[in-house]
Amino acid sequence: MWETRPPRHAGALASLLGRPKAALLLALAGPASTTELARRLGVTASAVSHHLAMLHRTGLVGHARAGRVVLYARTELGEQLARGG
């Protein structure tokens, strides 16, 4: 089920990536679109897009097209960081 509290290492992850990118990485528990992530996090789609681009360039998230939508998901490296390992 969904965690109601951020993981214990969330503060360290925020220190490493910055709070917005850390929140985004943790929100990607499964594939999601920019619009879905923006709605979940209560921010603009353009802000999410900007942060996803950086996370993609650093190898923490990948993306794939599903029809007219691009879905983002954590890579193995992103999974390791999100799990605190």
Side-chain angles (χ1 to χ4, degrees):
M1 283 318 250
W2 295 95
E3 283 188 18
T4 56
R5 295 185 319 243
R8 291 182 189 194
H9 68 282
L13 190 60
S15 294
L16 179 65
L17 300 175
R19 189 174 304 275
K21 289 177 196 67
L24 189 53
L25 188 64
L26 293 174
L28 273 171
S33 69
T34 302
T35 305
E36 171 63 24
L37 290 165
R39 188 168 40 86
R40 269 192 235 163
L41 297 171
V43 297
T44 65
S46 63
V48 169
S49 181
H50 170 77
H51 293 303
L52 283 171
M54 179 63 75
L55 292 171
H56 183 260
R57 282 195 302 271
T58 57
L60 298 177
V61 302
H63 57 77
R65 184 166 292 281
R68 296 176 56 159
V69 177
V70 176
L71 297 176
Y72 291 85
R74 293 187 293 227
T75 62
E76 183 56 38
L77 179 59
E79 284 289 338
Q80 290 175 8
L81 277 176
R83 287 191 310 256

